[in-house]
Amino acid sequence: MSSKVQTELLSLQTIATKDFGFVIPCYQRPYVWREEEVIKLFDDVRDAYLANEPHYFIGSVLSALNGGKNEYELIDGQQRTTTLMLISLAFKAVGIETQLAHVSIKGENPRLTFEIRESVRNLLGSYAGLDKITKPGEEDIRKDEYLVHLEANLTILKQQVDRLAEQSDFDIHGFADYIFNQVQWVNNIVPATMDLNRLFSSLNTGGIQLEPVDLLKAKLFKHITTDKAVYSSIWQACEHTDNYFERNLRQIFKNADWQTLEYIDLANYQAELFPLVSSSNSVQRVGKSIAEIASGSLDFYVEPEQSESPSDDFDDETVYCRSIISFELLLIHTLRIFCTQKSWNDLAPRIRATNLMSCFEGLLQHDERTIKSFIELLWQVRYQFDTWVVKWVEHDDEEDARLRLTSISKNKAYINRKAKELGLLAQLQAVRNSTGDRSAQYWLTAFLSRLVAEPKAKDEDVVTLLESIDNKMSLTRETQKEASFKLASDISPQTIPWEEQATYLKSSLGTRFEHYWFQKLEYLLWKNGDKANDDKLKRYRITSKNSVEHVHPQTEEYHHELEKSPLNAFGNLVLLSPGENSSYSNQTVAKKKADFDSKPRYDALKLKDIFETYTQSDNRWSSTEIEKHQNNMLALLERHYTQGAINGQ
């Protein structure tokens, strides 16, 4: 029996052909992917399919092969593998007859099982349509940490599949075949003699350092022969995205006069302000093999770096924020901005972190001066990113991080940050962050490019800037990639007139409406609402939501029916989280309003307006009230889009 790790390339087609199953061992944590992570993966695979990419690679997993049972025991990578199975189940639940829809079944059981978790088998098996399996009740699902995310994400994925299936210009069967055959991952199979429990623990504490960004840095820095330590330090300060930029700079450029430096002095690299400390004691971490980690030796080997390289020792105690994008994606946005400054064409590859190396192929052909200029721009972009772009920030005693901006002040030698009161800029960024292509966040190229060009912009100017970018990107005739690159070059993309967009919103599309328009209304209702006299409105935050709810239910509990046209009209729909959606279920409008009123916060501001219209109409919710609410929402959108913002005024 081999004692080495074996590697193979897998797809769902391969799994089905070999009839292998997956089992999640009992020492693993529950499935915890949030709906935004699932939607991001689903949308990214869809975009790869539409771009005719030959394959979509989702990374690597670590497993042990149980040949006797013909199954893989997943040690690392269960979140992605589970999500693939949920996508298969979503296609089956919607009734799309393809090989993908059946890959989630292995004999008389789900292909994916959780060790000693019969409730998971029952939930997945019920969606797979297996006989003799009963779905757990709603209350059981809500209380079971192993079921709640599975159920919520299945609901979201079914809605996504259903929406695509209804689009006449989208080949849903071709998309299913693409997922089944072309979505691939590397499966690393560890020897059967290895202590899997110990290996899993070691992976969680030791980490495996195999990052494409390190390869990119090595290739870029091969071109740099002078001042390598300086540019390496700039790169290092920019790459640590889970801390604020000025804190990174303070730890790297320790010889800077932090007593006199003001925050605005950090807007671009100035050699005289940021002298570098050389240290012969700096160390670098070297990644370890799976076998080394499994052996239990968790101390990393360190070797001296060249004396001109800075220390990589960051103070973990200062880290309390998380970036909305990876450093890889920040590099790609910076490169797109660099292209606009050089009057180069936009990057050809699709904008996503996993395309990092292909995005940089062009820059790697240039000389030292050009690459240094790019790294200097990276400093400027990172400064603007940390100044004006929201981060996930923990605050006070709240358990969940929230998207926040921070205000900046100076206290002697320290630059301090404090969470800003919720405002328009954070709310509009929440709209952008939770809609569209989440793997690319195209708006950031345009936004950061204009901020780099105007480094001393004021708060109100930045809100106006982002509203203009958002409006133009939401009405563009061009792709989001094309529009964002033009806007980064200060060129307006082609846009449709508002009347054309209004026609779309007057259609009866049900769950097929783009989620963006629900979220944009949340922003406008918050912006124009009476926050001074409504504390719940003042505290309302726009968050990621992916489940479209019919206010008058499709199947109402007392069988009161509504014609299909008003039923599926924009005026009868609201965007909620899966949990909020399930809490309303098929209740009457009156019961939904009572639930809404009893909650400590608003589930959605559009829903608030719906129930106000319902109350004003003597507790009626018919086609007349639906049309009235819809007209109010369209009028609000029209005022916003026709008062100069489209023209950049």
Side-chain angles (χ1 to χ4, degrees):
M1 183 176 293
S2 174
S3 61
K4 296 182 179 179
V5 174
Q6 297 179 322
T7 299
E8 61 181 355
L9 188 65
L10 290 182
S11 66
L12 291 176
Q13 186 272 335
T14 309
I15 293 297
T17 300
K18 294 183 177 180
D19 200 27
F20 274 100
F22 298 102
V23 60
I24 310 298
C26 59
Y27 54 77
Q28 287 266 26
R29 63 179 179 168
Y31 175 69
V32 295
W33 262 22
R34 297 165 296 181
E35 59 189 82
E36 52 264 32
E37 293 168 305
V38 170
I39 291 295
K40 182 178 179 181
L41 176 62
F42 184 85
D43 286 351
D44 209 34
V45 176
R46 178 205 61 204
D47 292 344
Y49 164 69
L50 292 174
N52 294 315
E53 293 184 5
H55 303 287
Y56 183 89
F57 184 63
I58 62 170
S60 60
V61 304
L62 194 63
S63 69
L65 179 59
N66 186 336
K69 293 185 178 180
N70 220 34
E71 65 185 16
Y72 293 106
E73 181 175 332
L74 288 174
I75 304 164
D76 186 51
Q78 71 129 317
Q79 305 295 320
R80 284 162 291 166
T81 306
T82 302
T83 302
L84 279 181
M85 289 296 104
L86 295 184
I87 291 173
S88 167
L89 289 168
F91 272 81
K92 184 168 182 62
V94 173
I96 309 298
E97 192 60 32
T98 64
Q99 290 175 296
L100 174 64
H102 294 282
V103 76
S104 56
I105 303 170
K106 185 176 185 291
E108 297 180 354
N109 288 287
R111 192 171 297 275
L112 173 75
T113 58
F114 282 59
E115 197 172 45
I116 73 169
R117 296 288 173 183
E118 188 70 12
S119 59
V120 174
R121 174 183 177 273
N122 291 339
L123 179 67
L124 300 183
S126 67
Y127 275 105
L130 295 174
D131 295 334
K132 301 177 183 179
I133 291 183
T134 303
K135 181 182 177 181
E138 290 185 5
E139 188 66 21
D140 293 329
I141 292 173
R142 278 198 293 267
K143 291 181 178 180
D144 191 328
E145 63 177 347
Y146 280 84
L147 300 183
V148 62
H149 291 292
L150 291 169
E151 170 74 6
N153 289 333
L154 262 169
T155 301
I156 289 298
L157 287 168
K158 284 191 299 179
Q159 201 169 90
Q160 297 298 311
V161 172
D162 189 48
R163 186 167 62 173
L164 289 177
E166 292 291 330
Q167 295 180 13
S168 59
D169 59 345
F170 186 85
D171 184 358
I172 191 67
H173 289 88
F175 181 43
D177 290 342
Y178 183 86
I179 297 172
F180 185 72
N181 294 292
Q182 310 308 131
V183 172
Q184 300 177 336
W185 66 97
V186 170
N187 183 31
N188 299 296
I189 308 170
V190 301
T193 55
M194 188 171 287
D195 185 339
L196 301 184
N197 208 331
R198 184 177 186 181
L199 173 58
F200 179 73
S201 176
S202 300
L203 286 170
N204 280 339
T205 55
I208 298 178
Q209 298 178 340
L210 298 172
E211 299 295 337
V213 71
D214 298 323
L215 177 60
L216 174 63
K217 181 181 179 183
K219 289 191 171 187
L220 287 172
F221 277 77
K222 279 185 178 179
H223 294 264
I224 298 178
T225 59
T226 60
D227 298 321
K228 182 173 285 190
V230 170
Y231 288 91
S232 179
S233 297
I234 294 173
W235 182 282
Q236 183 182 328
C238 294
E239 74 177 332
H240 289 269
T241 56
D242 287 344
N243 206 348
Y244 286 107
F245 186 45
E246 68 275 6
R247 298 181 181 181
N248 297 345
L249 292 177
R250 187 181 180 88
Q251 294 192 50
I252 295 171
F253 295 96
K254 295 181 179 180
N255 271 13
D257 187 357
W258 291 99
Q259 290 280 354
T260 60
L261 279 175
E262 298 294 334
Y263 183 71
I264 189 61
D265 296 326
L266 279 53
N268 54 73
Y269 172 69
Q270 302 172 68
E272 65 277 11
L273 294 182
F274 300 99
L276 190 62
V277 179
S278 293
S279 171
S280 59
N281 297 321
S282 298
V283 298
Q284 65 178 0
R285 292 184 172 184
V286 180
K288 302 183 73 177
S289 70
I290 292 171
E292 288 171 330
I293 295 172
S295 71
S297 176
L298 299 180
D299 293 331
F300 283 95
Y301 168 74
V302 296
E303 62 181 22
E305 273 188 338
Q306 296 177 359
S307 60
E308 62 178 2
S309 296
S311 169
D312 196 30
D313 181 22
F314 276 81
D315 182 4
D316 289 338
E317 292 182 356
T318 65
V319 178
Y320 64 92
C321 62
R322 176 166 53 89
S323 173
I324 62 170
I325 61 170
S326 65
F327 179 55
E328 289 87 345
L329 197 53
L330 184 67
L331 282 168
I332 294 172
H333 283 295
T334 302
L335 182 56
R336 296 186 80 209
I337 296 168
F338 193 65
C339 289
T340 67
Q341 294 182 350
K342 295 289 186 181
S343 298
W344 296 347
N345 292 331
D346 195 4
L347 306 176
R350 210 155 51 90
I351 305 304
R352 50 194 288 255
T354 52
N355 283 343
L356 180 69
M357 295 306 299
S358 55
C359 285
F360 273 83
E361 284 179 359
L363 183 63
L364 286 169
Q365 306 307 313
H366 285 273
D367 59 14
E368 177 176 2
R369 182 60 259 164
T370 303
I371 290 174
K372 283 182 174 179
S373 295
F374 167 77
I375 295 173
E376 290 168 13
L377 175 63
L378 178 61
W379 173 305
Q380 297 174 56
V381 170
R382 178 61 200 271
Y383 170 84
Q384 296 297 338
F385 183 79
D386 278 28
T387 305
W388 296 112
V389 178
V390 291
K391 291 182 184 290
W392 293 103
V393 180
E394 296 177 6
H395 184 61
D396 298 332
D397 296 327
E398 297 169 359
E399 292 184 4
D400 295 331
R402 293 180 174 179
L403 287 177
R404 297 180 185 273
L405 290 166
T406 51
S407 59
I408 299 159
S409 61
K410 180 76 182 294
N411 180 18
K412 296 182 180 179
Y414 290 92
I415 294 170
N416 299 318
R417 288 184 181 259
K418 180 181 179 182
K420 279 186 177 180
E421 185 175 332
L422 186 61
L424 291 173
L425 188 58
Q427 294 281 53
L428 187 52
Q429 288 187 45
V431 173
R432 273 285 154 191
N433 185 59
S434 63
T435 58
D437 190 333
R438 305 184 195 196
S439 297
Q441 299 288 351
Y442 286 113
W443 63 279
L444 282 172
T445 298
F447 187 52
L448 293 169
S449 177
R450 305 316 307 150
L451 290 170
V452 167
E454 301 177 25
K456 296 184 179 180
K458 304 297 183 184
D459 287 51
E460 58 272 17
D461 300 325
V462 178
V463 171
T464 301
L465 169 67
L466 186 57
E467 282 194 347
S468 177
I469 290 171
D470 176 65
N471 284 0
K472 290 171 182 175
M473 289 186 68
S474 62
L475 293 186
T476 183
R477 293 187 185 276
E478 304 173 65
T479 66
Q480 292 293 288
K481 184 181 179 185
E482 292 166 342
S484 63
F485 192 73
K486 281 189 174 181
L487 287 165
S489 305
D490 205 18
I491 300 171
S492 290
Q494 296 180 15
T495 56
I496 63 173
W498 168 252
E499 292 75 20
E500 187 174 331
Q501 184 59 45
T503 299
Y504 163 81
L505 293 172
K506 291 175 183 177
S507 305
S508 183
L509 300 177
T511 60
R512 288 177 286 150
F513 280 109
E514 293 177 37
H515 292 182
Y516 168 83
W517 294 104
F518 293 99
Q519 295 284 50
K520 185 61 174 284
L521 271 173
E522 296 297 291
Y523 172 73
L524 295 177
L525 288 165
W526 192 85
K527 177 181 179 179
N528 294 285
D530 185 9
K531 293 181 284 294
N533 295 306
D534 187 343
D535 189 58
K536 287 169 72 172
L537 177 63
K538 182 180 178 180
R539 292 185 286 108
Y540 179 78
R541 287 182 173 273
I542 297 172
T543 58
S544 178
K545 297 174 179 178
N546 294 290
S547 184
V548 176
E549 162 82 357
H550 288 76
V551 177
H552 186 292
Q554 293 172 287
T555 308
E556 199 239 42
E557 59 181 332
Y558 297 116
H559 308 293
H560 295 149
E561 295 185 0
L562 192 64
E563 292 182 1
K564 281 197 172 182
S565 182
L567 178 70
N568 291 313
F570 189 68
N572 188 48
L573 302 170
V574 64
L575 189 66
L576 301 170
S577 70
E580 292 163 347
N581 196 338
S582 63
S583 71
Y584 290 115
S585 189
N586 292 327
Q587 296 182 121
T588 65
V589 177
K591 286 185 178 180
K592 289 181 178 181
K593 181 181 182 302
D595 286 351
F596 179 86
D597 291 341
S598 68
K599 295 183 179 182
R601 60 177 180 81
Y602 295 135
D603 286 336
L605 300 185
K606 187 176 187 294
L607 190 56
K608 174 178 179 288
D609 189 89
I610 284 173
F611 288 140
E612 287 173 353
T613 303
Y614 172 79
T615 301
Q616 293 164 6
S617 303
D618 296 325
N619 297 339
R620 288 195 305 271
W621 189 250
S622 65
S623 58
T624 301
E625 287 72 42
I626 290 171
E627 183 178 9
K628 180 180 178 182
H629 163 73
Q630 179 168 297
N631 288 339
N632 289 341
M633 297 299 97
L634 292 181
L636 180 60
L637 285 164
E638 183 177 10
R639 286 195 298 273
H640 177 73
Y641 275 94
T642 58
Q643 289 178 351
I646 289 296
N647 299 317
Q649 299 174 3

